[in-house]
Amino acid sequence: MTEGDSSKTVDASSAPKRDESDVYDRQIRLWGADAQNKIGKTKVLYIHVTSVSAEIMKNLVLAGVQASLCDGRPLEAMADTPTSFLDPTLFSENEKDSENNQKRSKGQTVAQAMKPHIEELNPLLGECVIENSLVEDLRDDFFATYDIVIASRVGIAQATRISQAVTSKGGKFYLVDCFGWYGGAIMDLGSQHLY
C-alpha cells in the first residue's frame, strides 16, 4: 500500500466468522434453539436422487439437516432427470460439452457427482457422507441408523424392506417420485403415528 492510498486489505483471519446462530437466526427465532439443535442432529438418507428428492434435500440442507447419499447408479442415470445440483451442460447434446463432460465424469456415481454441490450449499454441515453401493446390497441395519430415509426409483419390495428397517427403530420413511407433471409420495411414519 502506498502513502495516500485509501484502499485497505482485510486479514481473512480477523474477519467475523459466520456461525450457526448467524446462519440459522430466523429459524432459531421461529422455533427456538432447542428445536434447531434437534434439526441439526437429524440424520437423513437420500436413496436414488431425483428432481423431487433433490428439491427436498436442498431445503433440508439449507435448514441445517445433514444429508447422506446412497446412489451407486452411474451418473448417466441422471441424464433425463432435471436437478439444480448438477451442471446443466453435463448431459448436453452439444458435441464439445458432451466430450468434455464425459471425460470429467467418467466412472462417477450420482452420489459422487452431487457431493460437492451439497457441501457447497451449506458448508457448516461438513462433509456429505456417500454410499456408492447398490440399495439391494445394503443390509437393513444400515438403513435403521437414519432418522429419515427419502427414497426414489426403488421397487416396492425394496421400499417395503427399507421402510420396515427404518420405522422399526423409530425413523420415518418417504418414497417420492415425479413423472413429468405428476408426482406421488408414500409415507410410513411408523406404527406410533396416528393418521
Side-chain angles (χ1 to χ4, degrees):
M1 197 160 71
T2 61
E3 193 175 325
D5 185 2
S6 61
S7 65
K8 294 181 180 177
T9 59
V10 177
D11 180 17
S13 64
S14 67
K17 294 193 177 12
R18 295 180 66 187
D19 65 356
E20 289 186 20
S21 62
D22 292 338
V23 174
Y24 306 128
D25 179 60
R26 287 183 182 161
Q27 291 166 216
I28 291 170
R29 282 188 275 153
L30 180 64
W31 49 63
D34 289 340
Q36 185 62 40
N37 285 334
K38 287 179 184 177
I39 288 170
K41 292 177 183 172
T42 302
K43 293 175 59 179
V44 180
L45 174 68
Y46 298 86
I47 300 172
H48 294 167
V49 179
T50 60
S51 55
V52 67
S53 61
E55 190 63 26
I56 294 168
M57 183 181 348
K58 178 193 75 169
N59 289 309
L60 291 179
V61 166
L62 287 172
V65 179
Q66 178 72 42
S68 297
L69 299 176
C70 176
D71 201 336
R73 300 175 299 163
L75 186 55
E76 293 76 30
M78 294 289 285
D80 295 328
T81 305
T83 175
S84 57
F85 280 103
L86 297 175
D87 181 355
T89 65
L90 196 59
F91 305 107
S92 171
E93 293 184 19
N94 178 324
E95 219 173 288
K96 185 178 179 183
D97 286 342
S98 183
E99 282 180 35
N100 290 337
N101 288 324
Q102 283 177 358
K103 289 177 188 173
R104 189 176 63 195
S105 64
K106 188 167 178 75
Q108 258 192 336
T109 64
V110 173
Q112 290 168 330
M114 294 189 77
K115 180 181 176 177
H117 302 288
I118 295 165
E119 290 172 350
E120 180 183 11
L121 196 58
N122 192 341
L124 289 176
L125 297 179
E127 186 175 357
C128 174
V129 177
I130 61 170
E131 176 60 57
N132 284 314
S133 301
L134 297 175
V135 175
E136 301 81 31
D137 298 336
L138 295 170
R139 295 169 29 141
D140 292 356
D141 56 351
F142 170 78
F143 301 110
T145 62
Y146 289 91
D147 301 306
I148 300 171
V149 174
I150 300 172
S152 296
R153 309 275 162 98
V154 295
I156 194 68
Q158 288 298 329
T160 302
R161 176 178 78 92
I162 296 165
S163 174
Q164 289 172 347
V166 173
T167 58
S168 71
K169 299 293 184 186
K172 314 293 183 213
F173 177 77
Y174 297 85
L175 179 63
V176 298
D177 217 332
C178 281
F179 317 95
W181 288 96
Y182 301 98
I186 298 173
M187 294 164 255
D188 185 352
L189 306 178
S191 60
Q192 304 301 320
H193 185 79
L194 298 175
Y195 293 93

